[in-house]
Amino acid sequence: MLYDVDAALAEVKWAHDNGLRGILIPALMGDKDAYNHPKCYPVWQFCAEHNMVVHTHSGPSPDYNSRCPARWASTSPSSHGGPADRCGT
């Protein structure tokens, strides 16, 4: 949607036709038009008419290193797939 609204609308329609009930839009970065720009209205209209949820992502994740803060290791049981599992602690 950041580059081609018509292509984005086609993807949203494909998603709906194939059983998906929501879309994820990325965070806006750089000099892209805002999502409330009128050119995006066809996507929002389709989503509204078909009860599709629009999820947003707040932005890129920071560049985490492989070490966890000590509080994660002590508060997240590794047997449950918590952050400690992903940190090598």
Side-chain angles (χ1 to χ4, degrees), residues 12-47:
V12 172
K13 289 179 178 180
W14 179 93
H16 179 267
D17 292 346
N18 285 277
L20 298 174
R21 297 294 174 243
I23 62 171
L24 173 68
I25 57 174
L28 290 173
M29 300 231 179
D31 61 351
K32 307 291 185 258
D33 289 326
Y35 285 128
N36 65 348
H37 189 283
K39 74 178 189 180
C40 298
Y41 289 178
V43 173
W44 309 141
Q45 182 177 358
F46 183 88
C47 289

Side-chain angles (χ1 to χ4, degrees), residues 40-78:
C40 298
Y41 289 178
V43 173
W44 309 141
Q45 182 177 358
F46 183 88
C47 289
E49 290 173 355
H50 293 85
N51 295 318
M52 294 186 76
V53 176
V54 178
H55 304 272
T56 60
H57 194 282
S58 62
S61 63
D63 185 17
Y64 294 111
N65 68 26
S66 62
R67 301 188 70 194
C68 272
R71 62 179 157 66
W72 284 6
S74 63
T75 61
S76 298
S78 62

